Amino acid sequence: MYRFTTTSLQQQVKLLYLEHQNHRQRDLLLSVALGQVLSLLICGIGLTSKYLSEDFHANTPVFQSFLNYILLFLVYTTTLAVRQGEENLLAILKRRWWKYMILGIIDIEANYLVVKAYQYTTLTSVQLLDCFVIPVVILLSWFFLLVRYKAVHFIGIVVCILGMGCMAGADVLVGRQQGAGENKLIGDLLVLGGATLYGISNVCEEYIVRNLSRVEFLGMIGLFGSFFSGIQLAIMEHKELLKVPWDWQIGLLYVGFSACMFGLYSFMPVVIKKTSATAVNLSLLTADLYSLFCGLFLFHYKFSGLYLLSFFTILVGLMLYSSTSTYVAQDPRVYKQFRNPSGPVVDLPATGQLEPSVTYTSLGQETEEEPHVRVA
């Protein structure tokens, strides 16, 4: 048994504290950087969509989503099909097929509603109302994932939304293309509906990747997404698809769009598992700014210093939000049947000490118990 002097023990505690602080700083920077990778992928999606719709008059949002779901099917659904045991595609479908079917429809319609809204309302309205996904994710995380937030998290969220409002104000001042603005109420309702569905999809995604696996989530989305988007494509967009003036440039734009979309869907579960659905949606607020900065060179947008102010304001909000951990309120009755819903339910004793509650840091989870140093 080792004996420590008071001085050596204090030095060890200090070293542990410094190591913990350095780890926290690395986690903070990594979580923000991962979110910005997602924003850049969304920027690529927006740019390719803009070229397709404005330069080549190819208005095919359903077909573009269909291509992404087909890629997910080919990569992840086939991976599930060749697995053995409980992780096999058929075994998953037997247990949870209807849940993934609903989730696939939600994901399809979330994309469709927001894209459709641009035909009725203004760009500024879409940017501002799309932020509605953040309170949706917070509320769903609170009630269904049992996530609890601290004051600094709400401060960071407010700062991010202020940065988004600053960007929308800059759009108005410089006269950036605002959209048709006809039937604005319909367009605003479509955005709110799409944002709500996005929030539901993101929280379900966080739940699945934390409790099951990323491959299962993407494989099921690929299966049901390709099926239902294919039906929607045949009903609603087959005439538009026939009008597309196909050539190598349009083909390259579709390939670029599909690559960015596939990368976004494949990488987002990784980031959500390391951070959270709320943190990811806050990070995605910078996507419009990346598109704008590219538009300064590609589409000759007018520049305003408010755009830079908006960008750094959102980053400050992200740093504030990620600077401290959320935590999960303990309820041992929740999720106990998720992995084996057909198995027996084991009731926990009414008395006795519970396990320490779990906290989610910016990159993973840890218990709240402090490490013990045994001194003899």
Side-chain angles (χ1 to χ4, degrees):
M1 192 171 292
Y2 296 99
R3 295 182 179 275
F4 296 100
T5 64
T6 303
T7 303
S8 63
L9 181 59
Q10 290 176 343
Q11 289 175 345
Q12 286 192 358
V13 171
K14 185 177 180 180
L15 288 174
L16 287 173
Y17 175 77
L18 291 175
E19 182 179 354
H20 174 72
Q21 290 297 105
N22 290 333
H23 181 69
R24 288 284 298 166
Q25 291 175 359
R26 289 195 300 269
D27 287 354
L28 174 61
L29 294 176
L30 183 58
S31 62
V32 173
L34 290 174
Q36 297 314 294
V37 172
L38 296 179
S39 285
L40 288 171
L41 288 171
I42 291 181
C43 173
I45 291 169
L47 290 177
T48 51
S49 295
K50 183 176 177 63
Y51 273 117
L52 283 169
S53 62
E54 294 190 2
D55 290 7
F56 297 96
H57 305 289
N59 297 307
T60 56
V62 178
F63 176 67
Q64 291 165 226
S65 296
F66 176 72
L67 293 176
N68 172 57
Y69 291 124
I70 288 294
L71 288 176
L72 293 175
F73 177 87
L74 293 175
V75 175
Y76 296 105
T77 309
T78 53
T79 300
L80 291 177
V82 299
R83 285 183 172 180
Q84 303 296 323
E86 293 298 311
E87 295 184 347
N88 178 264
L89 175 64
L90 293 178
I92 295 171
L93 287 173
K94 287 179 181 179
R95 296 195 304 271
R96 295 184 284 272
W97 67 271
W98 64 272
K99 298 178 182 178
Y100 284 117
M101 181 184 71
I102 295 173
L103 184 56
I105 294 173
I106 288 173
D107 191 75
I108 293 168
E109 299 310 318
N111 292 322
Y112 178 76
L113 289 178
V114 173
V115 172
K116 192 70 174 177
Y118 282 97
Q119 299 179 16
Y120 298 101
T121 190
T122 62
L123 175 64
T124 303
S125 292
V126 173
Q127 291 171 341
L128 291 177
L129 294 175
D130 200 36
C131 294
F132 185 68
V133 68
I134 295 171
V136 171
V137 169
I138 291 173
L139 288 174
L140 293 177
S141 298
W142 182 284
F143 288 108
F144 294 101
L145 301 184
L146 304 179
V147 176
R148 297 296 180 261
Y149 302 92
K150 302 175 184 177
V152 67
H153 296 119
F154 292 108
I155 294 173
I157 290 168
V158 170
V159 171
C160 286
I161 294 176
L162 287 175
M164 197 66 187
C166 182
M167 184 189 71
D171 285 342
V172 174
L173 291 176
V174 302
R176 186 180 167 196
Q177 181 181 356
Q178 295 293 300
E182 299 175 359
N183 299 316
K184 191 172 184 299
L185 178 60
I186 295 176
D188 292 347
L189 291 175
L190 289 174
V191 177
L192 291 175
T196 302
L197 294 180
Y198 272 132
I200 296 171
S201 176
N202 289 164
V203 172
C204 291
E205 182 175 355
E206 179 178 355
Y207 178 80
I208 293 168
V209 299
R210 289 193 187 279
N211 292 277
L212 295 169
S213 75
R214 163 180 168 268
V215 174
E216 178 174 328
F217 170 78
L218 294 173
M220 291 296 100
I221 289 294
L223 175 63
F224 289 105
S226 57
F227 177 75
F228 287 108
S229 65
I231 294 175
Q232 189 170 356
L233 172 64
I235 295 173
M236 303 178 61
E237 212 171 78
H238 63 281
K239 293 182 180 180
E240 287 292 333
L241 198 58
L242 294 174
K243 296 178 183 177
V244 175
W246 293 98
D247 60 21
W248 68 270
Q249 291 178 308
I250 290 181
L252 192 61
L253 287 171
Y254 276 116
V255 169
F257 175 91
S258 300
C260 290
M261 199 74 165
F262 179 77
L264 177 68
Y265 270 70
S266 298
F267 190 50
M268 183 176 282
V270 177
V271 183
I272 284 181
K273 187 173 183 178
K274 289 182 177 297
T275 57
S276 68
T278 306
V280 165
N281 280 282
L282 291 173
S283 299
L284 296 183
L285 294 179
T286 58
D288 287 330
L289 286 164
Y290 289 129
S291 298
L292 168 73
F293 294 147
C294 292
L296 293 174
F297 301 98
L298 298 175
F299 309 116
H300 306 292
Y301 289 157
K302 294 181 181 179
F303 178 76
S304 170
L306 288 176
Y307 289 127
L308 289 178
L309 176 62
S310 172
F311 181 75
F312 289 111
T313 301
I314 293 174
L315 288 183
V316 168
L318 284 173
M319 299 287 282
L320 284 172
Y321 182 90
S322 304
S323 63
T324 189
S325 305
T326 57
Y327 65 97
V328 176
Q330 185 170 6
D331 186 348
R333 297 167 296 178
V334 176
Y335 310 148
K336 63 184 177 182
Q337 284 186 281
F338 191 87
R339 287 186 178 274
N340 187 20
S342 61
V345 177
V346 180
D347 292 326
L348 296 177
T351 60
Q353 185 175 2
L354 296 174
E355 294 295 325
S357 60
V358 177
T359 61
Y360 287 107
T361 64
S362 58
L363 287 173
Q365 50 179 315
E366 61 187 9
T367 61
E368 287 184 343
E369 291 186 336
E370 295 293 332
H372 297 288
V373 178
R374 187 182 298 275
V375 181

